[in-house]
């Protein structure tokens, strides 16, 4: 297979499964480091700060630094800051989103008189938060959502994701948001800018076809599907556009790369 100069890598289902390690993940990152191959972890999770993501990766035996993590919160903050430096924002979301927005000089407000409404996953969301967001969008605030994932896997099963929360405001106002996270190009363009390589030299690795693989396809880079998470090989075969490669796990990918 082709040897790439850099990789963009999904987290849940690729590096770990919930709170469980995935065999081959730590070994793959060690292989990349031994070959001095740059890589970034690209996640739709907007609730965690990069340092928190790194802490979890370390717990799973995966070597990482905060500079190697691109979250949908970071991509959202940069997207807004580029459009409107110093904008006022009403946000629904966690500490990761709050930190990303404020570090870009954006001003967080608790009322509907704002330039932007930003929605990220908030497991403590209230009717009042949704009401303020709705009023702000109706007043003309630009509507941004960190990602469109409608469900997220939890110990109890699949729970409402950020896309489900976002839909409340969207349905109420009739306004569709700009989505930032995978499979949309915004987060991927930030990742490509950060890794600093030509798109022909980079591959996206992930388990979930509709987000990870489509995110690579949507910006024209090669994709590597791993069968360690959500999308099975049987489901993959039904897709019209296939990933560039699919492997049982990252151990198999290491073997292929070593064989050249």
């Amino acid at each position: 297979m082709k040897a790439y100069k850099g990789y963009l890598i999904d987290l849940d289902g690729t590096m770990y499964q919930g709170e469980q390690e995935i065999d081959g993940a730590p070994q793959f990152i060690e292989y990349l480091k031994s070959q001095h191959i740059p890589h970034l972890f690209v996640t739709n999770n907007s609730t965690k700060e990069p340092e928190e993501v790194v802490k979890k990766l370390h717990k799973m035996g995966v070597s990482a630094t905060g500079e190697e993590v691109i979250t949908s919160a970071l991509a959202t903050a940069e997207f807004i800051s580029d459009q409107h430096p110093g904008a006022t924002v009403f946000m629904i979301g966690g500490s990761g989103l709050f930190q990303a927005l404020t570090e870009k000089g954006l001003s967080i407000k608790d009322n509907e008189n704002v330039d932007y409404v930003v929605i990220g996953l908030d497991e403590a969301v209230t009717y009042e938060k949704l009401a303020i967001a709705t009023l702000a969008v109706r007043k003309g605030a630009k509507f941004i959502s960190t990602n469109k994932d409608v469900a997220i896997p939890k110990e109890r099963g699949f729970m409402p994701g950020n896309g489900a929360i976002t839909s409340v405001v969207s349905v109420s106002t009739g306004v569709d948001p700009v989505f930032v996270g995978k499979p949309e190009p915004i987060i991927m363009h930030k990742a490509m800018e950060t890794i600093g390589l030509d798109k022909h030299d980079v591959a996206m690795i992930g388990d979930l076809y509709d987000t990870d693989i489509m995110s690579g396809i949507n910006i024209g880079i090669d994709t590597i599907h791993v069968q360690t998470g959500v999308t099975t090989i049987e489901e993959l075969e039904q897709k019209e556009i296939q990933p560039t490669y699919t492997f049982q796990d990252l151990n198999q990918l290491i073997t292929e790369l070593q064989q050249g």
Side-chain angles (χ1 to χ4, degrees):
M1 67 170 291
K2 179 177 177 177
Y4 296 93
K5 295 180 180 179
Y7 294 88
L8 307 179
I9 308 170
D10 172 54
L11 290 177
D12 207 346
T14 305
M15 288 288 102
Y16 48 74
Q17 186 70 274
E19 297 300 321
Q20 296 182 333
E21 297 179 18
I22 292 180
D23 184 44
Q27 295 89 338
F28 180 65
I29 299 305
E30 286 307 312
Y31 170 79
L32 294 182
K33 288 185 177 293
S34 71
Q35 301 298 310
H36 306 289
I37 298 172
H39 55 278
L40 297 172
F41 301 101
V42 184
T43 176
N44 274 357
N45 190 332
S46 66
T47 66
K48 304 296 185 186
E49 300 165 20
E51 293 74 17
E52 294 177 281
V53 175
V54 167
K55 186 176 180 181
K56 180 167 185 176
L57 285 167
H58 288 173
K59 182 181 176 183
M60 300 295 172
V62 177
S63 176
T65 66
E67 291 73 25
E68 293 170 336
V69 177
I70 302 291
T71 70
S72 61
L74 293 174
T76 297
E78 184 169 292
F79 177 72
I80 295 173
S81 180
D82 287 346
Q83 283 193 337
H84 190 158
T88 55
V89 176
F90 176 77
M91 64 155 276
I92 294 174
S95 62
L97 183 57
F98 179 85
Q99 176 179 296
L101 294 171
T102 54
E103 284 186 350
K104 280 293 184 180
L106 303 172
S107 180
I108 309 301
K109 303 295 182 181
D110 60 0
N111 60 66
E112 64 266 28
N113 301 308
V114 291
D115 302 311
Y116 288 83
V117 166
V118 178
I119 299 183
L121 182 63
D122 185 345
E123 295 183 13
V125 67
T126 64
Y127 183 86
E128 179 62 16
K129 290 180 181 179
L130 294 168
I132 294 173
T134 298
L135 290 169
V137 172
R138 287 187 181 280
K139 285 187 172 184
K142 294 182 180 179
F143 188 15
I144 311 290
S145 180
T146 60
N147 66 287
K148 60 174 64 173
D149 300 353
V150 295
I152 52 175
K154 294 281 188 177
E155 289 74 15
R156 295 165 61 189
F158 281 93
M159 306 292 281
N162 185 58
I165 296 172
T166 301
S167 71
V168 175
V169 177
S170 183
V171 169
S172 180
T173 61
V175 177
D176 292 327
V178 172
F179 287 104
V180 172
K182 299 176 293 183
E184 303 304 316
I186 295 173
I187 191 171
M188 297 298 287
H189 287 319
K190 175 172 175 55
M192 288 298 296
E193 180 183 338
T194 302
I195 204 166
L197 295 170
D198 186 271
K199 65 169 54 179
H200 301 295
D201 294 322
V202 179
M204 175 71 202
I205 303 175
D207 69 295
L208 183 54
Y209 181 90
D210 291 340
T211 55
D212 304 322
I213 302 307
M214 282 306 303
S215 68
I217 292 170
N218 285 341
I219 65 163
I221 65 173
D222 284 357
T223 54
I224 300 173
H225 171 258
V226 286
Q227 302 157 29
T228 51
V230 176
T231 304
T232 65
I233 188 65
E234 292 78 17
E235 291 170 332
L236 190 68
E237 290 171 350
Q238 304 303 312
K239 302 297 184 180
E240 181 178 353
I241 304 175
Q242 290 291 299
T244 312
Y245 304 98
T246 182
F247 296 107
Q248 182 177 344
D249 55 26
L250 288 169
N251 281 321
Q252 187 180 16
L253 175 54
I254 295 170
T255 300
E256 288 292 327
L257 290 171
Q258 289 175 332
Q259 292 176 349

